[in-house]
Structure formats: C-alpha cells, structure tokens
Amino acid sequence: MIQSEAGAETWTVAGRTFNSRLIVGTGKYKDYAQNAAAAEASGAEIVTVAVRRVNISDPSQPMLMDFVRPDRFTYLPNTAGCFTGEDAVRTLRLAREAGGWDLVKLEVLSDPKTLYPDMEETLRSLKLLVKDGFQVMVYCSDDPVYARKLEEAGAVAIMPLAAPIGSGLGVQNPVTLRIIIENAKVPVLVDAGVGTASDAAVAMELGCDAVLMNTAIAEAKDPIRMARAMKHAVIAGREAYLAGRMQRKLYADPSSPLGGLI
C-alpha cells in the first residue's frame, strides 16, 4: 500500500499516481461552469473528455479547458461515440495532436441502443494504439476472458462496466467483477452503470482500484451535492474493502456474550 505525505492511500496507473479514486466525466451538464463545480466537489483528479463531443480546440466557442482546467485535472481523452476501431484510433490521434495526451480511454461501442462494447473491435484497436505509443485504459464488458486478453495486449487499466452506460442500475455482476479484479495485474476500474453513492461503494468494496462515472452526477437533481456524495462513497467503499467485512452467517450472533447473565 502506498501512502501520500498526508497519509492518504494512493493508486497508480501507467506510472502516474493519484489520491482520488473517483474519475468523473465532462458530459451532460447544463454548462461548463456546473461541470467544473461538480468536478471540484467530487475531489476527482482525472476527468474524461469525449473528444468528438467536447470543444477543446475552437477558441471562438466556450472551451472546456477554460472551466475544467488542465493544470488542475488530468485529462483522459476518450472515444465515446466510436463504433469502429478506425474511428477510435483516429479520434485519439487527433486528441494527441490537440493536447499532447497519450494516457487515453478506449471504448468501441457495438450499437446505439445498449452502448455495450464491441470487444473484438476493442481488442483490435487497443493493439493499434499500443503500437502507436498510447497508454490505454480500456472500457470493456465484464468478461474475465477478454479482460485477460486486453491486459496481455498492453492495456494499462481494465474498465469493466457495472451496467450499461447511463443506466444507473449499479453493479449487476459482482462475481465476474471479482474474478477480473483477482486476476488482473493492472488497475481495475468500474466504468459505467453507477447510479448513486451506494453503487460506488459496492464497486469499491469488491476491490476496484477506482470508479468512473458521469451520468450519475450530471443528471442528479443536485449534481454538486451528488458529486460530494460520490466522493465519500468511494472513500468509504475502499476503507471497507481494506478493513475486511465480517463473515456472513445464517443465524444470529449476539454482540454481547450470553455467559454470566444476571
């Protein structure tokens, strides 16, 4: 376990160390100002940026970087909206040209209705990106076999979904997530499907290194307050995981000893 100077536990991906285990997105907010306020409230140090949807290069229009500042947050460009490996690779090459980013998030989607990852295309484009010098964190299905293949192909982090993107259903398959976590030698992050603070805590209690979310905060009635709730949920879930939960039992076990009753 690595400790920072302040005593807080840290985690590392691709040689970069972070204190916060919460990563937040930059979509669906009413404006960039609300987005920035939520990011600050969350305590996150990494923000995902959908290169195809967020303005990061046209100074004549409001720019994300004027609000969510790159000197405050680590930008993680992603390929949201890409349905082929060629689109994903092209998008991330453009991101590197625009901002010099080489730590990126890859997602290649199968269809607009489920936004489930196309794992064959994901693996193929991962290999192209790794060969091109990118450090790639990969959104994927909760399939332990494909998780292993992604790691073997050079992924710096495995990011299985908890449930479909934007669904808010929470962790649907804790068993497969746990198998992925136990066998991975790179960080494992739940990406997609978190709806509220208890979902984030469950993901962290399973042993995830971090949690990534967007809709759960951006579409809350009070995004700033939800961002704070998610911050504390991730911390609580991680602490509970490290503490080790009590054993589950079929019958009651009294908190006070029964012997020596008056």
Side-chain angles (χ1 to χ4, degrees):
M1 183 186 304
I2 302 172
Q3 300 289 324
S4 69
E5 291 182 2
E9 186 196 12
T10 62
W11 68 289
T12 300
V13 59
R16 309 177 193 210
T17 300
F18 301 96
N19 293 294
S20 173
R21 292 175 180 271
L22 176 59
I23 300 174
V24 297
T26 52
K28 298 187 176 181
Y29 291 92
K30 68 177 184 180
D31 52 39
Y32 286 149
Q34 185 187 64
N35 191 164
E40 288 289 347
S42 75
E45 296 167 288
I46 305 174
V47 295
T48 60
V49 179
V51 179
R52 302 180 72 184
R53 297 173 181 163
V54 174
N55 179 28
I56 57 174
S57 59
D58 182 359
S60 67
Q61 300 294 325
M63 294 183 65
L64 176 68
M65 290 183 285
D66 291 335
F67 295 86
V68 182
R69 299 185 62 85
D71 59 356
R72 164 69 181 83
F73 298 94
T74 294
Y75 272 36
L76 183 66
N78 71 36
T79 57
C82 291
F83 291 86
T84 68
E86 284 75 17
D87 279 350
V89 171
R90 186 183 310 113
T91 296
L92 291 178
R93 285 174 176 165
L94 289 172
R96 184 163 61 183
E97 290 179 12
W101 299 296
D102 59 359
L103 179 63
V104 296
K105 176 192 165 186
L106 171 66
E107 57 182 80
V108 184
L109 306 175
S110 59
D111 68 88
K113 185 175 182 179
T114 67
L115 299 181
Y116 217 72
D118 181 328
M119 292 309 305
E120 184 177 2
E121 281 290 279
T122 297
L123 182 58
R124 185 172 70 86
S125 50
L126 168 64
K127 293 176 180 178
L128 294 172
L129 290 165
V130 169
K131 187 177 181 180
D132 207 14
F134 286 95
Q135 297 173 309
V136 191
M137 303 170 68
V138 187
Y139 166 67
C140 59
S141 61
D142 55 346
D143 179 343
V145 175
Y146 256 114
R148 185 186 69 249
K149 290 182 178 181
L150 293 171
E151 184 174 342
E152 291 173 349
V156 299
I158 307 299
M159 307 175 74
L161 51 77
I165 291 173
S167 68
L169 291 172
V171 175
Q172 295 296 296
N173 296 307
V175 173
T176 53
L177 284 178
R178 187 64 204 157
I179 292 171
I180 292 171
I181 291 164
E182 287 187 358
N183 288 282
K185 295 180 177 63
V186 296
V188 176
L189 297 77
V190 154
D191 177 9
V194 169
T196 191
S198 57
D199 299 332
V202 166
M204 295 306 297
E205 287 173 12
L206 287 170
C208 289
D209 292 279
V211 175
L212 189 155
M213 67 185 70
N214 187 175
T215 308
I217 296 175
E219 292 194 353
K221 292 181 180 178
D222 185 339
I224 313 306
R225 177 165 285 183
M226 184 60 82
R228 286 197 299 269
M230 292 300 188
K231 172 183 177 179
H232 295 300
V234 167
I235 293 171
R238 180 64 180 175
E239 287 289 288
Y241 171 73
L242 293 175
R245 66 158 290 138
M246 62 170 284
Q247 181 181 356
R248 289 181 171 89
K249 303 170 186 176
L250 183 59
Y251 296 104
D253 184 6
S255 298
S256 302
L258 295 177
L261 293 177
I262 299 174

